[in-house]
Protein backbone atom coordinates (compact mmCIF):
# COMPACT_ATOMS: atom_id res chain seq x y z
CA UNK A 1 0.00 0.00 0.00
CA UNK A 2 1.34 3.44 -0.96
CA UNK A 3 2.13 5.66 2.01
CA UNK A 4 0.01 8.81 2.12
CA UNK A 5 2.02 11.92 1.33
CA UNK A 6 1.46 15.37 2.81
CA UNK A 7 -0.31 16.36 -0.40
CA UNK A 8 -2.71 13.41 0.01
CA UNK A 9 -3.49 14.51 3.58
CA UNK A 10 -4.07 18.11 2.51
CA UNK A 11 -6.35 16.87 -0.26
CA UNK A 12 -8.52 14.81 2.07
CA UNK A 13 -8.61 17.59 4.67
CA UNK A 14 -9.83 20.07 2.05
CA UNK A 15 -12.39 17.61 0.68
CA UNK A 16 -13.83 16.81 4.09
CA UNK A 17 -13.99 20.47 5.14
CA UNK A 18 -15.74 21.40 1.89
CA UNK A 19 -18.18 18.51 2.26
CA UNK A 20 -18.94 19.77 5.76
CA UNK A 21 -19.66 23.24 4.36
CA UNK A 22 -22.04 21.88 1.75
CA UNK A 23 -23.74 19.53 4.20
CA UNK A 24 -25.16 22.49 6.13
CA UNK A 25 -28.30 21.52 4.26
CA UNK A 26 -28.67 18.68 6.78
CA UNK A 27 -30.06 21.27 9.14
CA UNK A 28 -32.94 21.49 6.71
CA UNK A 29 -34.35 18.26 8.12
CA UNK A 30 -34.70 19.93 11.49
CA UNK A 31 -36.49 22.83 9.82
CA UNK A 32 -38.82 20.35 8.12
CA UNK A 33 -39.58 18.81 11.49
CA UNK A 34 -40.46 22.22 12.93
CA UNK A 35 -42.69 22.99 9.94
CA UNK A 36 -44.44 19.64 10.39
CA UNK A 37 -45.19 20.61 13.98
CA UNK A 38 -46.53 23.95 12.70
CA UNK A 39 -49.01 22.17 10.47
CA UNK A 40 -47.30 21.94 7.06
CA UNK A 41 -48.95 19.02 5.18
CA UNK A 42 -47.10 15.71 5.43
CA UNK A 43 -46.93 15.16 1.62
CA UNK A 44 -45.14 18.49 1.25
CA UNK A 45 -42.69 17.52 4.01
CA UNK A 46 -42.04 14.14 2.30
CA UNK A 47 -41.37 15.73 -1.09
CA UNK A 48 -39.07 18.32 0.48
CA UNK A 49 -37.17 15.58 2.37
CA UNK A 50 -36.58 13.61 -0.85
CA UNK A 51 -35.43 16.73 -2.71
CA UNK A 52 -33.09 17.59 0.15
CA UNK A 53 -31.59 14.10 0.04
CA UNK A 54 -30.90 14.48 -3.70
CA UNK A 55 -29.19 17.80 -3.00
CA UNK A 56 -26.99 16.29 -0.29
CA UNK A 57 -25.99 13.26 -2.39
CA UNK A 58 -25.03 15.36 -5.41
CA UNK A 59 -23.69 18.32 -3.45
CA UNK A 60 -20.21 16.93 -2.76
CA UNK A 61 -19.49 15.99 -6.38
CA UNK A 62 -18.79 19.38 -8.05
CA UNK A 63 -15.94 20.36 -5.76
CA UNK A 64 -14.22 16.99 -6.18
CA UNK A 65 -14.49 17.43 -9.95
CA UNK A 66 -13.01 20.93 -9.64
CA UNK A 67 -10.07 19.60 -7.64
CA UNK A 68 -9.30 17.09 -10.39
CA UNK A 69 -9.40 19.88 -12.96
CA UNK A 70 -12.48 18.47 -14.68
CA UNK A 71 -14.95 20.43 -16.76
CA UNK A 72 -18.11 21.98 -15.35
CA UNK A 73 -20.60 19.24 -14.29
CA UNK A 74 -23.51 20.83 -16.10
CA UNK A 75 -25.90 17.95 -15.46
CA UNK A 76 -25.28 17.91 -11.70
CA UNK A 77 -25.57 21.69 -11.43
CA UNK A 78 -28.78 21.66 -13.48
CA UNK A 79 -30.38 18.93 -11.35
CA UNK A 80 -29.42 20.58 -8.05
CA UNK A 81 -30.55 23.96 -9.41
CA UNK A 82 -33.96 22.48 -10.28
CA UNK A 83 -34.15 20.95 -6.81
CA UNK A 84 -33.53 24.37 -5.28
CA UNK A 85 -36.27 25.92 -7.41
CA UNK A 86 -38.73 23.25 -6.26
CA UNK A 87 -37.74 23.78 -2.63
CA UNK A 88 -38.19 27.53 -3.07
CA UNK A 89 -41.70 26.98 -4.50
CA UNK A 90 -42.44 25.02 -1.34
CA UNK A 91 -41.28 28.01 0.68
CA UNK A 92 -37.97 26.40 1.71
CA UNK A 93 -34.91 28.34 0.52
CA UNK A 94 -32.27 27.43 3.10
CA UNK A 95 -30.61 25.05 0.59
CA UNK A 96 -29.78 27.82 -1.91
CA UNK A 97 -26.38 28.72 -0.30
CA UNK A 98 -25.23 25.12 -0.77
CA UNK A 99 -26.06 25.27 -4.49
CA UNK A 100 -24.18 28.55 -4.80
CA UNK A 101 -21.18 26.79 -3.23
CA UNK A 102 -21.41 24.03 -5.86
CA UNK A 103 -21.50 26.62 -8.65
CA UNK A 104 -18.67 28.81 -7.32
CA UNK A 105 -15.64 26.75 -8.58
CA UNK A 106 -16.87 26.88 -12.19
CA UNK A 107 -17.53 30.59 -12.60
CA UNK A 108 -15.45 33.72 -12.14
CA UNK A 109 -15.16 35.02 -8.60
CA UNK A 110 -16.89 38.23 -9.57
CA UNK A 111 -19.76 36.22 -11.03
CA UNK A 112 -20.01 34.11 -7.88
CA UNK A 113 -20.19 37.23 -5.69
CA UNK A 114 -22.78 38.94 -7.91
CA UNK A 115 -24.97 35.83 -8.09
CA UNK A 116 -24.72 35.32 -4.32
CA UNK A 117 -25.70 38.92 -3.53
CA UNK A 118 -28.55 38.79 -6.06
CA UNK A 119 -29.81 35.55 -4.55
CA UNK A 120 -29.80 36.95 -1.00
CA UNK A 121 -31.68 40.08 -2.17
CA UNK A 122 -34.22 37.99 -4.11
CA UNK A 123 -34.75 35.71 -1.14
CA UNK A 124 -35.49 38.61 1.22
CA UNK A 125 -37.81 40.24 -1.32
CA UNK A 126 -39.59 36.90 -1.50
CA UNK A 127 -39.93 36.77 2.29
CA UNK A 128 -41.15 40.38 2.32
CA UNK A 129 -43.75 39.58 -0.32
CA UNK A 130 -45.04 36.63 1.70
CA UNK A 131 -45.05 38.28 5.13
CA UNK A 132 -45.39 41.93 4.22
CA UNK A 133 -42.32 42.94 6.19
CA UNK A 134 -38.59 42.39 5.95
CA UNK A 135 -37.14 39.94 8.41
CA UNK A 136 -33.72 41.10 9.58
CA UNK A 137 -32.88 37.77 11.18
CA UNK A 138 -33.60 35.93 7.92
CA UNK A 139 -31.40 38.40 6.01
CA UNK A 140 -28.50 37.88 8.40
CA UNK A 141 -28.79 34.09 8.44
CA UNK A 142 -29.10 33.84 4.67
CA UNK A 143 -26.14 36.16 4.15
CA UNK A 144 -24.01 34.21 6.64
CA UNK A 145 -24.82 30.82 5.08
CA UNK A 146 -24.12 32.16 1.59
CA UNK A 147 -20.78 33.63 2.68
CA UNK A 148 -19.78 30.37 4.37
CA UNK A 149 -20.72 28.23 1.36
CA UNK A 150 -19.30 30.38 -1.44
CA UNK A 151 -16.33 31.82 0.46
CA UNK A 152 -15.40 28.49 2.06
CA UNK A 153 -15.49 26.60 -1.23
CA UNK A 154 -13.45 29.23 -3.09
CA UNK A 155 -10.92 29.44 -0.23
CA UNK A 156 -10.52 25.66 -0.14
CA UNK A 157 -10.07 25.47 -3.90
CA UNK A 158 -7.38 28.19 -3.73
CA UNK A 159 -5.68 26.35 -0.85
CA UNK A 160 -5.64 23.11 -2.88
CA UNK A 161 -4.07 24.84 -5.87
CA UNK A 162 -1.38 26.42 -3.68
CA UNK A 163 -0.58 23.07 -1.98
CA UNK A 164 -0.41 21.25 -5.32
CA UNK A 165 1.84 23.91 -6.87
CA UNK A 166 4.15 23.75 -3.83
CA UNK A 167 4.34 19.95 -4.10
CA UNK A 168 5.03 20.12 -7.82
CA UNK A 169 7.69 22.75 -7.16
CA UNK A 170 9.47 20.44 -4.72
CA UNK A 171 9.40 17.60 -7.25
CA UNK A 172 10.71 19.93 -9.96
CA UNK A 173 13.60 21.03 -7.73
CA UNK A 174 14.44 17.39 -6.99
CA UNK A 175 14.44 16.53 -10.71
CA UNK A 176 16.57 19.60 -11.42
CA UNK A 177 19.10 18.55 -8.77
CA UNK A 178 19.33 15.08 -10.30
CA UNK A 179 19.77 16.56 -13.78
CA UNK A 180 22.50 18.90 -12.59
CA UNK A 181 24.32 16.01 -10.92
CA UNK A 182 24.13 13.97 -14.13
CA UNK A 183 25.50 16.89 -16.12
CA UNK A 184 28.35 17.32 -13.65
CA UNK A 185 29.19 13.62 -13.87
CA UNK A 186 29.11 13.81 -17.68
CA UNK A 187 31.41 16.85 -17.70
CA UNK A 188 33.87 15.15 -15.35
CA UNK A 189 33.99 12.00 -17.45
CA UNK A 190 34.37 14.01 -20.64
CA UNK A 191 37.22 16.05 -19.17
CA UNK A 192 38.86 12.91 -17.78
CA UNK A 193 38.52 10.54 -20.73
CA UNK A 194 38.29 12.89 -23.69
CA UNK A 195 42.00 13.73 -23.94
CA UNK A 196 43.12 10.20 -22.94
CA UNK A 197 41.00 8.50 -25.59
CA UNK A 198 42.13 11.04 -28.19
CA UNK A 199 45.80 10.26 -27.38
CA UNK A 200 45.14 6.51 -27.46
CA UNK A 201 43.44 6.82 -30.86
CA UNK A 202 46.27 8.94 -32.31
CA UNK A 203 49.05 6.66 -31.02
CA UNK A 204 47.27 3.53 -32.20
CA UNK A 205 46.86 5.00 -35.66
CA UNK A 206 50.55 5.98 -35.72
CA UNK A 207 51.58 2.48 -34.66
CA UNK A 208 49.47 0.92 -37.43
CA UNK A 209 51.24 3.11 -40.02
CA UNK A 210 54.78 2.26 -38.83
CA UNK A 211 54.10 -1.42 -38.21
CA UNK A 212 55.26 -2.60 -41.66
CA UNK A 213 58.32 -0.34 -41.87
CA UNK A 214 59.50 -0.45 -38.24
CA UNK A 215 57.89 -3.18 -36.09
CA UNK A 216 60.07 -2.29 -33.07
CA UNK A 217 58.90 1.34 -33.10
CA UNK A 218 55.29 0.21 -33.51
CA UNK A 219 55.64 -2.18 -30.54
CA UNK A 220 57.12 0.60 -28.40
CA UNK A 221 54.22 2.84 -29.36
CA UNK A 222 51.70 0.16 -28.38
CA UNK A 223 53.38 -0.26 -24.98
CA UNK A 224 52.87 3.47 -24.48
CA UNK A 225 49.20 3.06 -25.47
CA UNK A 226 48.85 0.25 -22.92
CA UNK A 227 50.31 2.42 -20.14
CA UNK A 228 48.04 5.30 -21.12
CA UNK A 229 44.98 3.04 -21.04
CA UNK A 230 45.92 1.70 -17.59
CA UNK A 231 46.42 5.21 -16.25
CA UNK A 232 43.03 6.28 -17.63
CA UNK A 233 41.40 3.23 -16.01
CA UNK A 234 42.89 4.13 -12.62
CA UNK A 235 41.61 7.70 -12.97
CA UNK A 236 38.10 6.49 -13.84
CA UNK A 237 38.06 4.15 -10.85
CA UNK A 238 39.20 6.98 -8.60
CA UNK A 239 36.41 9.26 -9.84
CA UNK A 240 33.76 6.55 -9.48
CA UNK A 241 34.95 5.79 -5.95
CA UNK A 242 34.62 9.45 -5.00
CA UNK A 243 31.06 9.51 -6.37
CA UNK A 244 30.20 6.43 -4.33
CA UNK A 245 31.43 8.07 -1.13
CA UNK A 246 28.56 9.48 0.94
CA UNK A 247 28.83 12.24 3.52
CA UNK A 248 27.38 10.76 6.72
CA UNK A 249 26.42 14.02 8.44
CA UNK A 250 24.73 15.34 5.31
CA UNK A 251 22.85 12.08 4.84
CA UNK A 252 21.65 12.07 8.47
CA UNK A 253 20.20 15.55 7.96
CA UNK A 254 18.58 14.48 4.71
CA UNK A 255 17.09 11.31 6.22
CA UNK A 256 15.70 13.25 9.17
CA UNK A 257 14.05 15.76 6.84
CA UNK A 258 12.55 13.01 4.68
CA UNK A 259 11.15 11.10 7.67
CA UNK A 260 9.66 14.20 9.25
CA UNK A 261 8.13 15.15 5.90
CA UNK A 262 6.40 11.76 6.07
CA UNK A 263 5.11 12.61 9.59
CA UNK A 264 7.68 10.40 11.34
CA UNK A 265 9.27 12.23 14.27
CA UNK A 266 12.99 11.57 14.06
CA UNK A 267 15.69 12.18 16.68
CA UNK A 268 19.38 11.90 15.73
CA UNK A 269 22.38 11.67 18.07
CA UNK A 270 25.57 10.93 16.19
CA UNK A 271 29.27 11.11 17.04
CA UNK A 272 30.99 10.93 13.66
CA UNK A 273 34.21 12.93 14.05
CA UNK A 274 36.37 9.93 14.95
CA UNK A 275 35.12 7.69 12.12
CA UNK A 276 37.28 6.91 9.09
CA UNK A 277 36.01 7.89 5.62
CA UNK A 278 35.33 4.24 4.76
CA UNK A 279 33.31 3.72 7.96
CA UNK A 280 31.34 6.93 7.42
CA UNK A 281 30.43 5.86 3.88
CA UNK A 282 29.39 2.38 4.99
CA UNK A 283 27.23 3.64 7.89
CA UNK A 284 25.66 6.24 5.61
CA UNK A 285 24.62 3.48 3.24
CA UNK A 286 23.06 1.52 6.13
CA UNK A 287 21.17 4.60 7.37
CA UNK A 288 19.80 5.26 3.89
CA UNK A 289 18.59 1.68 3.51
CA UNK A 290 17.12 1.72 7.03
CA UNK A 291 15.15 4.91 6.31
CA UNK A 292 13.79 3.35 3.13
CA UNK A 293 12.58 0.33 5.12
CA UNK A 294 10.94 2.57 7.74
CA UNK A 295 8.89 4.28 5.03
CA UNK A 296 8.08 1.13 3.04
CA UNK A 297 7.55 -1.54 5.69
CA UNK A 298 6.11 0.23 8.75
CA UNK A 299 3.58 2.80 9.92
CA UNK A 300 6.14 4.50 12.10
CA UNK A 301 5.47 7.66 14.09
CA UNK A 302 8.85 7.83 15.87
CA UNK A 303 12.35 6.92 14.75
CA UNK A 304 15.62 7.20 16.67
CA UNK A 305 19.10 7.14 15.12
CA UNK A 306 22.24 6.95 17.27
CA UNK A 307 25.89 6.52 16.26
CA UNK A 308 28.56 6.05 18.91
CA UNK A 309 32.03 4.46 18.61
CA UNK A 310 31.23 3.05 15.19
CA UNK A 311 27.94 1.47 16.34
CA UNK A 312 24.77 2.53 14.54
CA UNK A 313 21.35 1.85 16.07
CA UNK A 314 18.22 2.80 14.17
CA UNK A 315 14.92 2.07 15.95
CA UNK A 316 11.32 2.76 14.92
CA UNK A 317 7.81 1.94 16.06
CA UNK A 318 4.82 1.17 13.85
CA UNK A 319 5.65 -2.52 13.38
CA UNK A 320 2.35 -4.30 12.77
CA UNK A 321 1.83 -8.04 12.44
CA UNK A 322 4.50 -10.73 12.37
CA UNK A 323 7.92 -9.64 11.14
CA UNK A 324 10.31 -12.01 9.40
CA UNK A 325 13.36 -12.97 11.39
CA UNK A 326 15.49 -12.18 8.37
CA UNK A 327 16.50 -8.70 7.34
CA UNK A 328 14.82 -7.12 4.28
CA UNK A 329 16.44 -7.86 0.94
CA UNK A 330 18.27 -4.53 0.79
CA UNK A 331 19.85 -5.08 4.19
CA UNK A 332 20.93 -8.61 3.28
CA UNK A 333 23.43 -7.26 0.75
CA UNK A 334 24.57 -4.58 3.18
CA UNK A 335 25.17 -7.21 5.85
CA UNK A 336 27.70 -8.87 3.55
CA UNK A 337 29.49 -5.54 2.98
CA UNK A 338 29.58 -4.84 6.72
CA UNK A 339 31.00 -8.31 7.45
CA UNK A 340 33.64 -7.78 4.77
CA UNK A 341 34.66 -4.59 6.61
CA UNK A 342 34.99 -6.57 9.86
CA UNK A 343 31.67 -5.54 11.38
CA UNK A 344 28.21 -6.95 12.05
CA UNK A 345 24.70 -5.99 11.01
CA UNK A 346 21.47 -7.12 12.68
CA UNK A 347 17.86 -6.20 11.96
CA UNK A 348 14.96 -7.63 13.96
CA UNK A 349 11.88 -6.63 16.00
CA UNK A 350 12.30 -6.08 19.74
CA UNK A 351 10.15 -7.20 22.64
CA UNK A 352 8.92 -3.63 23.08
CA UNK A 353 7.22 -3.73 19.67
CA UNK A 354 9.88 -1.72 17.85
CA UNK A 355 12.18 -2.61 14.98
CA UNK A 356 15.91 -2.28 15.60
CA UNK A 357 18.62 -2.02 12.97
CA UNK A 358 22.08 -2.30 14.48
CA UNK A 359 25.38 -2.06 12.60
CA UNK A 360 28.77 -2.23 14.31
CA UNK A 361 31.77 -1.26 12.21
CA UNK A 362 35.39 -0.75 13.36
CA UNK A 363 35.76 2.97 13.95
Amino acid sequence: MRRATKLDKVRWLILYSTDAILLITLFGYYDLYLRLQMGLPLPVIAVAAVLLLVLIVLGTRPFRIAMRGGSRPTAILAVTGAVNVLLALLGLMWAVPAWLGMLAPFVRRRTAVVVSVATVVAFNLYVWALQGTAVVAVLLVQSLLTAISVGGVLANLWLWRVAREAHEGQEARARLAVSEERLRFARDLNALLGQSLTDISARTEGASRTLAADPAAAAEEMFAVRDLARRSLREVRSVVQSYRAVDLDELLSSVRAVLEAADVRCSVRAETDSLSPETRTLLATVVREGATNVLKHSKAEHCTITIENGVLEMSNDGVSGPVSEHAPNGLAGLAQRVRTAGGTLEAAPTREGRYLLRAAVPA
Side-chain angles (χ1 to χ4, degrees), residues 240-257:
V240 171
Q241 184 65 30
S242 67
Y243 272 98
R244 291 178 60 187
V246 182
D247 185 87
L248 179 57
D249 294 325
E250 182 179 339
L251 183 77
L252 287 171
S253 267
S254 176
V255 163
R256 181 175 183 175

Side-chain angles (χ1 to χ4, degrees), residues 18-337:
T18 304
D19 292 350
I21 291 173
L22 294 177
L23 290 181
I24 58 175
T25 50
L26 280 173
F27 290 104
Y29 282 110
Y30 179 68
D31 185 31
L32 289 178
Y33 171 75
L34 294 179
R35 291 174 182 266
L36 180 63
Q37 298 297 319
M38 294 169 59
L40 192 66
L42 183 59
V44 175
I45 296 294
V47 171
V50 172
L51 293 175
L52 182 58
L53 180 61
V54 173
L55 189 65
I56 292 173
V57 171
L58 296 179
T60 60
R61 295 294 301 162
F63 187 77
R64 294 172 184 266
I65 294 173
M67 287 186 68
R68 294 197 302 266
S71 58
R72 180 187 303 173
T74 305
I76 294 178
L77 293 175
V79 171
T80 52
V83 167
N84 274 281
V85 171
L86 293 175
L87 289 173
L89 293 176
L90 294 175
L92 309 170
M93 293 190 65
W94 26 250
V96 172
W99 184 79
L100 293 173
M102 299 179 216
L103 179 66
F106 304 100
V107 296
R108 295 180 178 180
R109 293 183 180 179
R110 183 181 302 175
T111 303
V113 173
V114 171
V115 172
S116 299
V117 172
T119 301
V120 171
V121 172
F123 173 76
N124 283 273
L125 290 176
Y126 179 75
V127 172
W128 179 81
L130 289 179
Q131 301 184 9
T133 180
V135 182
V136 177
V138 173
L139 173 63
L140 294 177
V141 170
Q142 188 74 5
S143 300
L144 178 62
L145 292 179
T146 301
I148 290 175
S149 296
V150 176
V153 167
L154 290 178
N156 280 349
L157 187 60
W158 173 82
L159 180 61
W160 166 247
R161 288 171 178 168
V162 170
R164 186 177 59 187
E165 289 173 0
H167 182 74
E168 291 173 351
Q170 290 179 344
E171 292 184 339
R173 285 195 297 271
R175 290 193 298 269
L176 180 60
V178 172
S179 298
E180 290 178 347
E181 187 65 17
R182 287 175 177 171
L183 288 174
R184 185 171 72 91
F185 185 73
R187 286 194 301 267
D188 290 348
L189 282 182
N190 180 68
L192 178 66
L193 292 178
Q195 187 60 45
S196 297
L197 292 178
T198 301
D199 293 344
I200 289 174
S201 176
R203 291 198 170 199
T204 303
E205 184 178 356
S208 65
R209 287 198 303 265
T210 61
L211 180 60
D214 191 352
E220 183 177 351
E221 192 70 11
M222 290 307 298
F223 283 130
V225 169
R226 181 196 61 185
D227 295 338
L228 181 58
R230 287 177 175 176
R231 185 170 67 250
S232 299
L233 181 58
R234 286 195 299 269
E235 291 175 350
V236 170
R237 286 176 175 172
S238 176
V239 170
V240 171
Q241 184 65 30
S242 67
Y243 272 98
R244 291 178 60 187
V246 182
D247 185 87
L248 179 57
D249 294 325
E250 182 179 339
L251 183 77
L252 287 171
S253 267
S254 176
V255 163
R256 181 175 183 175
V258 169
L259 290 177
E260 291 187 347
D263 293 334
V264 181
R265 295 180 58 188
C266 182
S267 60
V268 178
R269 182 172 57 86
E271 299 176 2
T272 61
D273 294 338
S274 61
L275 301 179
S276 66
E278 294 79 8
T279 299
R280 293 168 66 90
T281 298
L282 185 55
L283 290 182
T285 307
V286 176
V287 170
R288 182 167 53 194
E289 183 65 27
T292 300
N293 290 331
V294 169
L295 295 175
K296 290 177 59 178
H297 303 301
S298 74
K299 298 180 180 179
E301 295 182 356
H302 298 86
C303 180
T304 303
I305 303 174
T306 61
I307 299 177
E308 187 175 1
N309 296 327
V311 178
L312 162 69
E313 289 189 352
M314 191 169 181
S315 173
N316 65 274
D317 59 3
V319 180
S320 58
V323 182
S324 172
E325 296 180 356
H326 302 286
N329 293 334
L331 291 178
L334 280 179
Q336 180 62 37
R337 289 182 57 185

